[in-house]
Amino acid sequence: MFFRIHHRLSYTYDRPVFLEPMALRLTPRQDGSQRILEHHLRLEEPPAGLSRVLEPDGTDAMVAWFQQERDQLTITVDMLVETLRSNPYDWIVTHREAQHLPVSYPEAEARSLAGCLQDRADPEVRAWAQAIADRVDGSATAFLSALADEIHHGFHHVGRLEGEPTDAAETLRTLTGACRDTAMLYVVACRSQGLAARFVSGYSMHHPPEVSEHELHAWAEVYLPGGGWRGFDPSLGLAVADGHLVLAAAPDHHLAAPVSGRYRGTGVGSSLTYLIRLQAADALGGLEGSPQPMIPS
């Protein structure tokens, strides 16, 4: 699948402010499931400096820093990306103790996964996850699909443009949430069963019914020996294949946010507007205005 995306974010401040260094996580991940063919990121009124960095969880980010006050900041990114995984189940579990719940990992992998294994589930979430685990006879792989299906069919999905994810227990109590809320509930439920799970932000070609235009999307990834990190989208109720494009993944939403930063200005308000134009097609020729360049192997 080929994605062509134009994403513009515009921050406006009531009066000039000083911007602290800012992390921009707007470069798609490159791995066995997706590759970048084109990527152009620019800031209007260029910053004092811009450095490409590799973050703790492997996110390819840019750090921008500033020297002069400003009352607005516009970030624009254009990209062409190919997603490669047509079968989300092309794996086997290679560690016996990871086949059944609660999962345990080989010692070396468990140390590396520690940040995504921290189990802080509320008793209500733990009991709910256990009931789903019992329903699938403790099968780890069946649990992942059943959990996504339960959230997709059993919850009221809403669009919510601002705010952090709600607490997992609150999302479960209300049976309501935006994609980032249900993604964190999925993560917390998985961890309660010993599964390493993390929060993912990016784009999807699938249009959730609660939104009327393309927005950033959130889902979860779970680690299984032999399968590696695999995506599950509870708001859509599916295992992630080539219809999703990953920007960032981290133990929680903080290091998966597309932009992170602060500004200095006492009592100064700010606002954000954004635009996402997304095209997806099985071939490059199916994208509007796309030439068909030679793609390196």
Side-chain angles (χ1 to χ4, degrees), residues 95-104 137-140 193:
H95 182 63
R96 183 182 298 274
E97 286 73 17
Q99 294 176 345
H100 299 284
L101 303 172
V103 161
S104 64
D137 298 322
S139 166
Q193 292 293 319

Side-chain angles (χ1 to χ4, degrees), residues 12-32:
T12 303
Y13 306 94
D14 293 342
R15 61 177 185 269
V17 298
F18 184 81
L19 298 177
E20 299 287 1
M22 181 177 292
L24 311 177
R25 303 181 187 93
L26 292 163
T27 304
R29 193 169 69 190
Q30 292 211 86
D31 55 26

Side-chain angles (χ1 to χ4, degrees), residues 36-54:
I36 300 172
L37 305 180
E38 297 176 12
H39 184 265
H40 307 284
L41 185 149
R42 58 191 179 277
L43 284 73
E44 293 184 13
E45 294 192 19
L50 191 64
S51 177
R52 190 168 181 171
V53 301
L54 188 64

Side-chain angles (χ1 to χ4, degrees), residues 15-227:
R15 61 177 185 269
V17 298
F18 184 81
L19 298 177
E20 299 287 1
M22 181 177 292
L24 311 177
R25 303 181 187 93
L26 292 163
T27 304
R29 193 169 69 190
Q30 292 211 86
D31 55 26
S33 66
Q34 59 185 47
R35 58 175 175 168
I36 300 172
L37 305 180
E38 297 176 12
H39 184 265
H40 307 284
L41 185 149
R42 58 191 179 277
L43 284 73
E44 293 184 13
E45 294 192 19
L50 191 64
S51 177
R52 190 168 181 171
V53 301
L54 188 64
E55 293 196 310
D57 296 285
T59 298
D60 188 356
M62 303 289 285
V63 172
W65 60 96
F66 309 85
Q67 291 181 342
Q68 296 180 332
E69 291 186 338
R70 58 174 71 198
D71 60 8
Q72 60 183 6
L73 173 68
T74 298
I75 305 163
T76 304
V77 60
D78 291 284
M79 65 185 81
L80 176 63
V81 181
E82 182 182 12
T83 54
L84 306 169
R85 177 167 285 138
S86 58
N87 178 7
Y89 297 107
D90 62 344
W91 46 274
I92 60 171
V93 179
T94 56
H95 182 63
R96 183 182 298 274
E97 286 73 17
Q99 294 176 345
H100 299 284
L101 303 172
V103 161
S104 64
Y105 293 92
E107 184 178 352
E109 291 184 21
R111 286 198 300 270
S112 181
L113 295 167
C116 297
L117 282 167
Q118 294 180 1
D119 178 12
R120 296 171 180 161
D122 180 278
E124 295 178 20
V125 175
R126 188 181 306 279
W128 174 71
Q130 185 61 54
I132 297 173
D134 292 342
R135 200 163 69 223
V136 297
D137 298 322
S139 166
T141 54
F143 173 80
L144 296 173
S145 295
L147 180 60
D149 188 68
E150 178 81 13
I151 294 174
H152 173 60
H153 289 290
F155 286 63
H156 176 55
H157 300 276
V158 299
R160 184 164 58 86
L161 299 181
E162 297 181 352
E164 296 194 348
T166 57
D167 180 77
E170 177 66 16
T171 303
L172 178 60
R173 279 192 290 271
T174 61
L175 299 180
T176 300
C179 61
R180 59 190 178 281
D181 305 320
T182 55
M184 279 309 303
L185 173 61
Y186 191 97
V187 166
V188 171
C190 284
R191 291 180 185 173
S192 76
Q193 292 293 319
L195 288 156
R198 62 186 184 180
F199 183 95
V200 185
S201 64
Y203 310 94
S204 172
M205 65 173 285
H206 307 289
H207 224 319
E210 69 273 10
V211 300
S212 58
E213 58 188 18
H214 284 293
E215 299 176 352
L216 275 171
H217 192 48
W219 60 97
E221 284 183 338
V222 178
Y223 185 87
L224 287 172

